[in-house]
Amino acid sequence: MNLPIELGVNIDHIANIRQARFTPYPDLLEAVALIEKAGAHAITLHLREDRRHIQDADVYAVRKALTTRMNFEMGATAEMVKIALDVQPHDVCVVPEKREELTTEGGLDVIGQFERIQKVTQELSRANIRVSLFIEPDMEQIRRVPDIGAPVIELHTGTYANNTGEAKWRELERIQQAAEFAHSLGIQVNAGHGLDYQNTVAIAMIPTIRELNIGHAMVARAVFVGIEAATREMLVLMQAARADA
Ligand code: PXP
């Protein structure tokens, strides 16, 4: 019997559309209700240091309204820890953050930033927030995760998503091996970044992966079919892939 696979829908790009014109629409809470109605398991949102899409008030409003889980993505800063402790999301995913990047580029360096990430993980864990670390499918990085104390990792699938041909399949193999290794250490393995309606199938077939966090491709699909249908389509695809795994 395969482990079930869950979907966290990243709503940052819905906020991006709103912030492009500073209008009150599209309403994030309406989107959250439709995503949850479609059966998604979590709502993911990233409060960036520059507040380019999600705003502080959004985090509080979504936390209050949601009926599933909040997966709060944040940089490992004192400002974000303070907000997370106040908001009390179910999960925090710690991500690296650079001001000038288009989106999160690369995973956390849990070796180079060990102390800072361990401190943030401990502060959040003490408040019963489950901490996930967004990292590359790299064995050396994964090996240090138990010492940091995070129960979950999210494997960065960006290199897999952005490559073609041989390089894509090599990266898929790296993700499979990394997932298996982390799972053997007792770490829950999630994955995300750059996943779409085609490339998600192979990732959802990796039996040790428990949750996928997907945003851009789903919001793009929602332009044509609406966010509720876009969410259902992704869930059907993921669950069919897992059943075939
Ligand atoms: N997971 C993490 C940690 C991310 O930072 C992002 C992008 O915000 C995603 C998943 C979703 O990526 P995408 O928008 O490409 O689906």
Side-chain angles (χ1 to χ4, degrees):
M1 182 55 190
N2 290 326
L3 289 173
I5 186 159
E6 301 200 336
L7 172 64
V9 179
N10 183 311
I11 60 172
D12 296 350
H13 292 293
I14 302 175
N16 255 334
I17 298 171
R18 184 193 62 193
Q19 296 309 109
R21 292 289 180 90
F22 299 106
T23 49
Y25 58 84
D27 180 357
L28 289 191
L29 298 189
E30 200 176 334
V32 166
L34 292 168
I35 291 165
E36 291 187 328
K37 184 164 167 238
H41 304 87
I43 302 293
T44 298
L45 73 187
H46 184 178
L47 184 66
R48 295 187 70 100
E49 190 192 346
D50 63 9
R51 309 303 198 263
R52 73 173 70 155
H53 39 52
I54 297 292
Q55 306 297 302
D56 295 52
D58 294 330
V59 183
Y60 287 89
V62 170
R63 176 68 184 89
K64 195 157 164 233
L66 54 64
T67 57
T68 54
R69 274 187 290 121
M70 174 181 275
N71 177 30
F72 180 59
E73 290 182 8
M74 53 169 250
T77 65
E79 183 203 15
M80 288 301 153
V81 169
K82 189 160 176 277
I83 293 171
L85 292 177
D86 196 34
V87 170
Q88 287 285 311
H90 306 76
D91 299 307
V92 158
C93 182
V94 183
V95 301
E97 200 177 304
K98 290 192 228 82
R99 239 171 225 281
E100 64 280 10
E101 67 193 358
L102 274 182
T103 175
T104 313
E105 291 163 7
L108 282 173
D109 179 6
V110 298
I111 301 170
Q113 304 273 307
F114 187 88
E115 265 121 47
R116 185 149 74 108
I117 297 169
Q118 188 185 48
K119 181 168 178 276
V120 166
T121 301
Q122 286 171 347
E123 286 168 337
L124 296 170
S125 300
R126 272 200 293 274
N128 290 320
I129 297 169
R130 187 170 63 158
V131 177
S132 166
L133 305 178
F134 186 51
I135 58 176
E136 296 288 334
D138 178 296
M139 301 298 184
E140 292 316 306
Q141 294 281 335
I142 293 168
R143 216 184 291 285
R144 295 309 305 277
V145 171
D147 299 331
I148 297 245
V152 183
I153 57 170
E154 181 171 323
L155 292 176
H156 196 314
T157 50
T159 303
Y160 158 76
N162 295 334
N163 267 295
T164 54
E166 191 54 31
K168 189 180 197 74
W169 304 120
R170 261 203 315 275
E171 184 65 11
L172 179 63
E173 217 173 286
R174 243 181 117 218
I175 295 169
Q176 285 163 337
Q177 286 167 2
E180 203 168 306
F181 178 53
H183 183 72
S184 76
L185 298 177
I187 301 166
Q188 176 174 320
V189 185
N190 300 340
H193 212 285
L195 296 178
D196 62 26
Y197 291 86
Q198 273 83 43
N199 66 22
T200 294
V201 175
I203 297 293
M205 288 180 86
I206 301 173
T208 45
I209 291 183
R210 290 302 307 276
E211 178 178 304
L212 301 180
N213 282 297
I214 309 180
H216 184 262
M218 292 184 62
V219 175
R221 178 72 182 144
V223 170
F224 301 107
V225 301
I227 194 67
E228 187 180 338
T231 304
R232 277 191 214 285
E233 287 178 12
M234 187 57 82
L235 278 166
V236 166
L237 178 161
M238 284 166 50
Q239 284 159 358
R242 178 53 54 101
D244 286 346

